[in-house]
Amino acid sequence: GRFKRRFMDYSSTTADKGVKSYHIYFEDKCLFKNLNEEEFDLIWDKIYRSYHTDSLSFSVCIGDECLREEASF
């Protein structure tokens, strides 16, 4: 029923786009790894507001591919 439909929706999304996750770095050290979007938004907002610095960056990963972003917002 309901669980199976939700699982199938998740499976098709995962197969099409891969699982999206975020990593947060300070200099070259990974502080947080494999965050979902909700976790990333919460943590990034707090950390960036408190420690606004060029030393902070993050990467967005979909499946095995990651794109590193600089702290520019």
Side-chain angles (χ1 to χ4, degrees), residues 8-45:
M8 289 175 66
D9 289 346
Y10 177 76
S11 295
S12 65
T13 301
T14 303
D16 292 343
K17 297 181 355 184
V19 177
K20 190 175 192 180
S21 65
Y22 298 83
H23 309 321
I24 297 176
Y25 301 88
F26 180 75
E27 295 174 350
D28 285 330
K29 297 179 184 106
C30 185
L31 299 179
F32 298 93
K33 189 171 184 176
N34 295 325
L35 300 172
N36 64 36
E37 191 165 357
E38 183 179 340
E39 294 167 330
F40 170 76
D41 288 341
L42 178 69
I43 293 169
W44 181 257
D45 186 45

Side-chain angles (χ1 to χ4, degrees), residues 51-69:
Y51 303 101
H52 180 77
T53 174
D54 291 336
S55 298
L56 286 172
S57 62
F58 66 93
S59 61
V60 180
C61 302
I62 298 175
D64 293 335
E65 293 185 37
C66 295
L67 178 63
R68 187 95 176 243
E69 301 286 335

